[in-house]
Amino acid sequence: MSSPVPSSPTSENLPDGAIPAATLVIMRPSDDGGPDEILMVKRSTNMAFAAGAVVFPGGRVDPDDYLVARQHAPDLAEADGAARVAALRETLEETGLAVGWPGLADRDVPDVRRALLAGTLLSDMLAARGDRIALDSLVPFARWCPNFKEARTFDTRFYAVNAPPHSHELTVEEAEHSHIFWATATNTLAMADSGEVSVIFPTRRNLEKLAQAPDFARFSDHARQFPIDLVTPWIEDREGQAFLCIPGHLGYPVTSESFERVRRG
């Protein structure tokens, strides 16, 4: 069988032209006292990547994100800092939730969001307002670069954060998403298993990882126990059946899935 993905998970397999990206897992206490809920968005069916899939907010890193990171968190490594900025910016653009921006009042969020979507640079907006953003509020816990050759290839850094207080309704940015909702990791996985929603392979594995801890504080503790090594899934043949696999030392409870069942992108 020819393999459409790399045969080993080493960093040397990082594809040329991979697009730096970031995604944000936003966690809040549930009303019933159960596990924390996570903010999920459903991608529009006309998107080139993960069309119709339920994902965490996020997107590609823009050049301006590097400038903002240098200005607001110069001690962070360049790629990490820019990814954190992208995660916060993309989340605000996609959902209307301002994470890590303590100086931004609820009443100002709609105007700031519209300006970002219209192309105003975040660095210019922060300078004009005299605001600072808090990149240290994000907890890094994963980095994935699947090379499925389905569409674009993304080098995505994953972060978790406590949901900030807000009084306004969250809404999707309709050009890219069709739906927004809060659900526990376990419930989102159950919806995927029943066919109610669709999740791609990286999202499923990270939901399983998140489901191991009941809240943000304990997930943060759990995440710090494991290294953040680049995850590039590979195919293994097991008794004539192909499995898509990830490394076993990164804290994921499930590290392989039948290739025939996998949604890759």
Side-chain angles (χ1 to χ4, degrees), residues 182-252:
W182 293 91
T184 68
T186 299
N187 285 345
T188 302
L189 288 166
M191 286 189 283
D193 290 340
S194 69
E196 185 177 348
V197 300
S198 174
V199 296
I200 58 176
F201 184 79
T203 304
R204 175 176 283 275
R205 299 288 83 87
N206 281 291
L207 283 167
E208 290 162 350
K209 187 173 188 175
L210 288 155
Q212 295 177 105
D215 54 39
F216 171 73
R218 279 175 280 190
F219 177 72
S220 299
D221 291 341
H222 173 79
R224 293 186 181 103
Q225 298 174 31
F226 301 95
I228 302 175
D229 293 344
L230 186 69
V231 177
T232 299
W234 70 97
I235 285 182
E236 285 185 7
D237 185 88
R238 300 177 180 176
E239 298 181 351
Q241 185 175 1
F243 281 82
L244 193 59
C245 307
I246 62 173
H249 67 287
L250 302 179
Y252 290 93

Side-chain angles (χ1 to χ4, degrees), residues 243-264:
F243 281 82
L244 193 59
C245 307
I246 62 173
H249 67 287
L250 302 179
Y252 290 93
V254 179
T255 58
S256 65
E257 184 177 351
S258 170
F259 191 76
E260 296 302 318
R261 294 178 49 198
V262 168
R263 175 167 182 191
R264 301 181 293 280

Side-chain angles (χ1 to χ4, degrees), residues 6-243:
S7 58
S8 67
T10 61
S11 60
E12 286 76 10
N13 288 317
L14 182 64
D16 291 338
I19 301 167
T23 195
L24 193 56
V25 174
I26 306 160
M27 306 175 73
R28 73 174 188 185
S30 59
D31 292 337
D32 62 5
D36 275 8
E37 296 175 327
I38 296 169
L39 185 63
M40 308 295 297
V41 291
K42 182 177 180 181
R43 291 177 62 79
S44 296
T45 55
N46 61 354
M47 299 299 293
F49 176 76
V54 167
V55 298
F56 311 112
R60 68 177 63 203
V61 179
D62 289 344
D64 188 62
D65 297 329
Y66 291 91
L67 174 59
V68 174
R70 288 194 296 270
Q71 293 173 337
H72 292 255
D75 294 336
L76 289 176
E78 181 181 60
D80 178 30
R84 291 173 188 240
V85 174
L88 302 187
R89 176 184 53 74
E90 288 280 349
T91 295
L92 178 52
E93 292 176 0
E94 292 179 356
T95 72
L97 184 62
V99 178
W101 195 334
L104 184 60
D106 268 13
R107 65 179 179 276
D108 296 330
V109 167
D111 289 340
V112 168
R113 183 186 189 186
R114 279 192 293 269
L116 287 171
L117 290 170
T120 301
L121 294 179
L122 178 60
S123 59
D124 290 342
M125 194 173 303
L126 290 167
R129 292 175 53 89
D131 284 348
R132 304 289 300 178
I133 53 174
L135 299 182
D136 59 354
S137 62
L138 276 62
V139 175
F141 70 92
R143 182 182 174 195
W144 281 63
C145 189
N147 187 17
F148 299 139
K149 303 188 186 305
E150 298 287 337
R152 302 180 182 92
T153 299
F154 292 93
D155 175 7
T156 304
R157 296 172 187 261
F158 287 71
Y159 301 91
V161 70
N162 242 335
H166 62 280
S167 57
H168 61 285
E169 181 182 2
L170 304 185
T171 59
V172 293
E173 197 279 301
E174 293 181 357
E176 295 187 6
H177 301 95
S178 62
H179 187 51
I180 186 170
F181 64 94
W182 293 91
T184 68
T186 299
N187 285 345
T188 302
L189 288 166
M191 286 189 283
D193 290 340
S194 69
E196 185 177 348
V197 300
S198 174
V199 296
I200 58 176
F201 184 79
T203 304
R204 175 176 283 275
R205 299 288 83 87
N206 281 291
L207 283 167
E208 290 162 350
K209 187 173 188 175
L210 288 155
Q212 295 177 105
D215 54 39
F216 171 73
R218 279 175 280 190
F219 177 72
S220 299
D221 291 341
H222 173 79
R224 293 186 181 103
Q225 298 174 31
F226 301 95
I228 302 175
D229 293 344
L230 186 69
V231 177
T232 299
W234 70 97
I235 285 182
E236 285 185 7
D237 185 88
R238 300 177 180 176
E239 298 181 351
Q241 185 175 1
F243 281 82

